Amino acid sequence: MPRRLGDLEDAVMTRVWEWNRPVTVREVLEDLQKERSIAYTTVMTVLDNLHQKGWVRREAEGRAYRYEAVSTRAAYSAALMNEAWSASDNPAAALVAFFGMMSPEQRHALRDAVRMVQVDDPADAEEEQPAAREGAREEQPEAAEEAPAGEGDEPGAGAGGKGR
C-alpha cells in the first residue's frame, strides 16, 4: 500500500509526472530552485529514496541516472484513497463523509467516472440496471405507461433513450 509522499518527495514526483519522460537530478534541481533554495545532493537523495520505494525506475546515462515514474499521479491518488477507505471500520459512512467534502465540480467528475466504469464493465451495469428500473417503475404512476409517445418526453429522448 502506498504511503503518502512527503512534501519534498511530492514536489520531485510532481515534476517527474508532469514532464512524463526520464529526467535527471540536474533538471529537477533547476526547476525546484525556481521556488526554493535546495542542494543537488538533496534532490539526488530524494530521487534515490523514491527509487528504493518503487516510485521511480532509473537508467544509467554516463555518470548520472535518468529517472521516470513507475505509475501515474492518478494511480497514486487512487491508491491513497483506496488505502484510506479500506482502513475505515464503516466504508459506507466514510464514502458519504468524503462525498460531502467534495465540491460540485468534484461530484460531477465522480459521476462521469462512475459512468465510465459502467461502460467499461457491462456486467456491473447489467447488475445495477434492473434494480434501478424497478425503482423507477415504482415511482411512476400507472397512467404514465399509457401516455401517447412523445408526451412528456425530454427533448432528444427518442426510443429507449434517456435524453441526457
Side-chain angles (χ1 to χ4, degrees), residues 135-151:
R137 281 189 200 125
E138 292 172 9
E139 295 173 14
Q140 295 177 352
E142 301 257 341
E145 292 179 347
E146 298 174 6
E151 281 189 30

Side-chain angles (χ1 to χ4, degrees), residues 42-62:
T42 301
V43 176
M44 184 174 64
T45 299
V46 169
L47 279 165
D48 185 59
N49 289 343
L50 290 167
H51 176 257
Q52 290 177 20
K53 293 176 182 180
W55 289 105
V56 295
R57 67 178 64 93
R58 67 183 181 194
E59 269 192 49
E61 184 175 282

